Amino acid sequence: KIPNPEEPSKLKVSFFWIFYGDYYVMELGEDYQYAVIGSSSDKYLWILSRTPKMDADLYQNLLTNLTKRGYDVSKLIEVPQK
């Protein structure tokens, strides 16, 4: 759902039937190669990539930007990809 059409990057997404959570698209890569998704609090944060391995400099820049936004990036868990 898009609660406010003036802010189309701030969505409400249902993960469990009728329960909705914030799903904010904070950064989007060229050609949608990556996306940074957060919530209205610093409790939820995802860095999504279309490739198994993200460029190290790009990843560092994303972490820097997220730190400036108040996220504790030390809590991020990098999931190994095959």
Side-chain angles (χ1 to χ4, degrees):
K1 295 181 178 182
I2 301 174
N4 181 356
E6 298 294 319
E7 296 181 292
S9 65
K10 293 184 176 182
L11 308 172
K12 290 283 187 185
V13 177
S14 175
F15 295 100
F16 302 104
W17 191 42
I18 61 171
F19 301 103
Y20 285 83
D22 296 328
Y23 193 88
Y24 295 173
V25 180
M26 298 188 299
E27 289 196 40
L28 203 51
E30 199 173 303
D31 296 329
Y32 303 99
Q33 289 303 302
Y34 69 87
V36 179
I37 309 297
S39 66
S40 57
S41 74
D42 64 353
K43 189 173 178 181
Y44 298 105
L45 177 65
W46 298 271
I47 298 176
L48 309 172
S49 176
R50 289 189 180 266
T51 59
K53 187 74 174 157
M54 183 178 267
D55 176 76
D57 290 335
L58 170 60
Y59 187 72
Q60 268 315 126
N61 287 336
L62 295 176
L63 295 181
T64 299
N65 293 345
L66 289 165
T67 301
K68 289 178 184 176
R69 287 186 165 138
Y71 284 90
D72 181 357
V73 297
S74 70
K75 293 179 181 179
L76 281 173
I77 300 168
E78 287 186 59
V79 179
Q81 304 291 315
K82 294 180 182 181

